Amino acid sequence: MVAAALAAPETQAGTALVIRDVSHEFDLHGRALPVLDRISLRTEPGEFVALLGPSGCGKSTLLRLVAGLEAPRAGRILVDGAPIAGPDPSRVVVFQDPTLYPWRTVWKNAALGLEARGTVRSQRDRVSEALEMVGLSGFARAYPHQLSGGMAQRAALARALVNDPSLLLLDEPLGKLDSMTRITMQAEIVRLWQRSGFSALLVTHDVEEALLMASRVVVLSDRPAQIKAIVPVDLAYPRHRGDPRLAELRREVLGLLGLEANW
Amino acid sequence: MFSAKQLQPAEAANQSISDEPLRPAAEPRVWTVGLLAAAAWLAAAALTDRWPDADDWERTGLLAELMAAIGVGLLLAAAAGGLFGARLTRLRRIGPWLIALAIVLAGWEVATAKLQLLPRPFFAPPQGLLEVFTDDWARLGDSVLHSLILLIGGYVIGAAAGFTTGVLIGWSSAAGYWVHPVLRLVGPLPATAWLPLAFFAFPTSGSASTFLVALATAFPVTVLTWSGVAGVNRAYYDVARTMGAGQRFLVLKVAIPAAMPSVFVGLFMGLGASFSVLVVAEMMGVKAGLGWYLQWAQGWAAYGNMYAALLVMALMCSGLITLLFRLRDRLLSWQKGLVQW
Ligand SMILES: Nc1ncnc2c1ncn2[C@@H]1O[C@H](COP(=O)(O)OP(=O)(O)OP(=O)(O)O)[C@@H](O)[C@H]1O
Ligand SMILES: [Mg+2]
């Protein structure tokens, strides 16, 4: 089972994701708090989709459902045609908080997935490669409390990439990075995505980031989140911040978010 | 928020402060406090030796010699301070304590052996204690050994049982359902309350005492392991689960390491509780160990022996606590700001 799950991504086709009429709610102080309202979305294998929406609208919740950490109250989520039964290493999440284990070194944190599946010994190189990729080779033996916030987030990214996912779920993975590292990491993730061919679902607050990285941007409404619009980004990679088409798209998306007055 | 100019004076001040620690190289070669301490010890030795005792004490000479030896040792260390450098920094730190100790010892000597200001049998002079160590060391050593065996045996069993129970009820709500009420009712009962029952129910007083020590240890370890496991950040589990971790991994590699800081608090509390149960068990049941030695000394009105045994016990307990601290610092080095290698 584990071996199969790991062997599958070698073929390097990203997963096709189907979210069909998914609604979800939480119980808050004994009352139902609707968070997602009939979300339907279909992504192609290898597609890079960004989820954009106001704070607290339910983006992280949707990601948790796709990861299989929780089951939706209504609706279905299919991965390559099969309903999600639970978490699976082919769908790895980079959480909003890095949540590195403070008792493990950076290297051992990155090796977490391999260790959980008992394959560290045969795949040690992959850990080192992933750390190299996020620029943390020199900190392999450091503990999380010795990292800066941005470094911790890069370590969390490495920890996810080690698993060779076919669907990478990114929950504001660059939120804590300084703007310079952020620009580098955006390009780095896109490059990685192009090379490995996984599908990616990126949650972000940053309109420009969504437009720079994703092939489609899903704009969500306030809680309970509904899909307001899906904006295709018809630009070739690598994209440039100064591109006039990008500015146009940004105005359009900001308008959808109700922020056009500020621009 | 602050302009660069506003910051500058503060920074300059900081710099002069941080320069300070760099200076010890230029510290005077001779260690003045050490010289004072040496003088204090030598003076105490002279006082002990020259001033005749009011009563016969066999080890007055030895006491004076030991004091003199410490004095000479300090004198050498103080004079040769520059030679040993860093190795003496620890000694330097306790310099003032060494002076105070010499003064207290001299005062004690004068008040007891020399002037007999304090009622006789209850206040033994320093040489009285020394005599216990030179003449009764075999029995005292034997008692320490017995105490250690009993304590460590009971502590290890109690800690292991408490840890296992704590993890179990922290992890499994079914186990929690059954164990929690029992723990709430029975746990707060002082382990010593079980004493009569234990000595009656167990075949030997040794096994009964081990049980009591284990019981005293187990309660705090259980509660703090449990709360440690229950308090683990749920996100840690999410991370591991998305990467394909099974239950076993979640318990052994996530829950337990994350709970360790709390477990150690329980281990410390358990160690403290086990000391007091140990002494009571030795006094009431087992006819061996430091607790028994204390009672035996009291029976003979041998107060010198009692003080000596108390001193040894204090050293033993404090040594064990130190040992546990060392272990914690090793295992939880990730928790502190300390760098590993
Ligand atoms: N476990 C939970 N129990 C109760 N309510 C929850 C829970 N998790 C999330 N919520 C609620 O669901 C709503 C959506 O949360 P979610 O974390 O998905 O927001 P988000 O879109 O990711 O926001 P942000 O951009 O600020 O991260 C919030 O109002 C939150 O209060
Ligand atoms: Mg979120």
Side-chain angles (χ1 to χ4, degrees):
Chain A
M1 166 72 217
V2 168
L6 207 78
E10 299 299 348
T11 57
Q12 286 311 353
T15 35
L17 178 68
V18 176
I19 301 173
R20 193 180 294 154
D21 281 330
V22 164
S23 297
H24 198 66
E25 54 188 38
F26 287 110
D27 298 317
L28 200 63
H29 309 306
R31 244 182 294 149
L33 178 78
V35 174
L36 299 176
D37 185 15
R38 281 169 293 131
I39 302 280
S40 287
L41 181 68
R42 177 184 290 271
T43 73
E44 301 301 317
E47 201 182 2
F48 199 134
V49 175
L51 296 176
L52 204 58
S55 177
C57 75
K59 304 181 294 294
S60 298
T61 306
L62 183 58
L63 227 54
R64 285 179 66 84
L65 298 182
V66 173
L69 288 167
E70 274 165 70
R73 294 276 169 99
R76 271 151 66 82
I77 302 176
L78 307 173
V79 170
D80 285 334
I84 287 176
D88 189 281
S90 64
R91 282 174 274 123
V92 184
V93 191
V94 180
F95 289 93
Q96 203 163 356
D97 290 322
T99 47
L100 299 173
Y101 293 176
W103 59 89
R104 282 172 172 248
T105 59
V106 168
W107 198 94
K108 293 211 82 185
N109 263 294
L112 190 72
L114 299 181
E115 201 182 316
R117 301 190 297 278
T119 57
V120 199
R121 222 162 272 168
S122 55
Q123 296 179 300
R124 297 180 69 85
D125 298 344
R126 215 140 95 187
V127 178
S128 308
E129 268 169 40
L131 288 178
E132 178 101 25
M133 208 141 52
V134 298
L136 284 178
S137 298
F139 287 84
R141 287 204 271 180
Y143 281 92
H145 71 77
Q146 295 165 322
L147 302 182
S148 71
M151 287 159 84
Q153 258 183 344
R154 282 185 277 150
L157 185 60
R159 179 180 61 186
L161 293 175
V162 164
N163 296 285
D164 208 356
S166 52
L167 173 57
L168 188 60
L169 303 168
L170 300 155
D171 196 351
E172 296 181 43
L174 310 180
K176 280 187 189 147
L177 298 184
D178 61 284
S179 56
M180 282 169 297
T181 320
R182 204 178 159 109
I183 290 169
T184 329
M185 287 299 295
Q186 284 167 354
E188 192 62 43
I189 292 176
V190 167
R191 218 170 48 76
L192 236 124
W193 162 70
Q194 287 181 308
R195 202 175 61 195
S196 333
F198 53 72
S199 308
L201 201 55
L202 167 79
V203 166
T204 178
H205 276 138
D206 184 342
V207 177
E208 186 170 70
E209 181 171 283
L211 293 172
L212 275 171
M213 296 175 74
S215 37
R216 278 195 296 162
V217 176
V218 178
V219 181
L220 297 169
S221 71
D222 243 326
R223 193 188 62 233
Q226 280 177 320
I227 294 184
K228 264 192 177 168
I230 298 181
V231 181
V233 186
D234 45 359
L235 285 168
Y237 296 95
R239 295 172 181 168
H240 301 286
R241 264 152 237 276
D243 195 321
R245 174 75 185 125
L246 201 77
E248 227 171 88
L249 283 169
R250 183 168 60 195
R251 205 167 309 124
E252 181 186 339
V253 172
L254 284 169
L256 286 164
L257 289 168
L259 292 168
E260 72 273 60
N262 301 331
W263 286 81
Chain B
M1 241 153 271
F2 296 95
S3 73
K5 265 192 207 126
Q6 269 177 307
L7 280 172
Q8 232 144 27
E11 238 162 54
N14 267 343
Q15 211 147 30
S16 67
I17 288 166
S18 64
D19 268 355
E20 225 52 59
L22 292 174
R23 242 161 240 170
E27 226 176 74
R29 283 282 146 125
V30 178
W31 177 32
T32 328
V33 178
L35 283 179
L36 282 174
W41 281 94
L42 289 173
L47 179 143
T48 306
D49 191 50
R50 297 290 140 168
W51 189 341
D53 289 345
D55 199 352
D56 264 1
W57 287 105
E58 283 186 34
R59 303 294 170 193
T60 307
L62 181 62
L63 179 66
E65 281 163 28
L66 284 177
M67 288 169 155
I70 294 175
V72 171
L74 282 170
L75 197 62
L76 286 178
L83 286 180
F84 297 100
R87 247 172 295 174
L88 281 181
T89 46
R90 277 191 71 160
L91 195 62
R92 272 173 193 269
R93 260 192 33 201
I94 61 169
W97 261 105
L98 288 169
I99 297 176
L101 215 60
I103 293 171
V104 169
L105 215 55
W108 178 13
E109 174 71 17
V110 170
T112 52
K114 305 305 183 197
L115 296 178
Q116 293 204 0
L117 294 177
L118 300 168
R120 236 333 261 290
F122 307 109
F123 292 92
Q127 52 264 60
L129 258 76
L130 197 58
E131 199 178 324
V132 176
F133 289 119
T134 57
D135 296 13
D136 204 26
W137 60 268
R139 195 190 335 232
L140 202 53
D142 193 50
S143 299
V144 172
L145 202 67
H146 273 98
S147 286
L148 275 178
I149 291 173
L150 177 54
L151 182 74
I152 292 175
Y155 183 74
V156 168
I157 294 173
F163 178 75
T164 315
T165 317
V167 171
L168 204 68
I169 58 182
W171 186 257
S172 143
S173 48
Y177 176 82
W178 291 108
V179 179
H180 184 200
V182 179
L183 194 68
R184 268 181 77 163
L185 181 69
V186 178
L189 203 60
T192 42
W194 290 94
L195 202 106
L197 189 69
F199 280 115
F200 164 73
F202 279 81
T204 61
S205 58
S207 54
S209 305
T210 305
F211 166 75
L212 291 174
V213 172
L215 198 66
T217 309
F219 178 58
V221 175
T222 305
V223 172
L224 278 136
T225 304
W226 169 32
S227 84
V229 169
V232 175
N233 186 350
R234 315 306 299 175
Y236 289 162
Y237 296 131
D238 289 345
V239 168
R241 281 172 61 211
T242 56
M243 296 186 185
Q247 289 278 314
R248 210 181 125 80
F249 189 90
L250 292 181
V251 175
L252 296 180
K253 298 296 179 109
V254 185
I256 289 177
M260 276 327 265
S262 177
V263 172
F264 265 98
V265 176
L267 287 174
F268 279 111
M269 290 171 61
L271 193 56
S274 73
F275 290 152
S276 64
V277 174
L278 172 80
V279 174
V280 176
E282 284 175 343
M283 284 180 171
M284 310 289 289
V286 225
K287 293 278 170 273
L290 283 171
W292 166 81
Y293 190 98
L294 277 175
Q295 212 174 30
W296 168 84
Q298 194 215 14
W300 288 95
Y303 289 92
N305 294 56
M306 220 157 87
Y307 295 133
L310 278 175
L311 182 64
V312 170
M313 196 183 277
L315 290 175
M316 182 183 92
C317 295
S318 135
L320 288 172
I321 295 268
T322 309
L323 219 64
L324 192 58
F325 262 111
R326 289 277 153 79
L327 182 69
R328 188 202 63 169
D329 290 350
R330 261 192 104 88
L331 286 181
L332 303 187
S333 56
W334 53 266
Q335 220 193 358
K336 308 187 304 180
L338 282 186
V339 186
Q340 264 283 285
W341 314 104

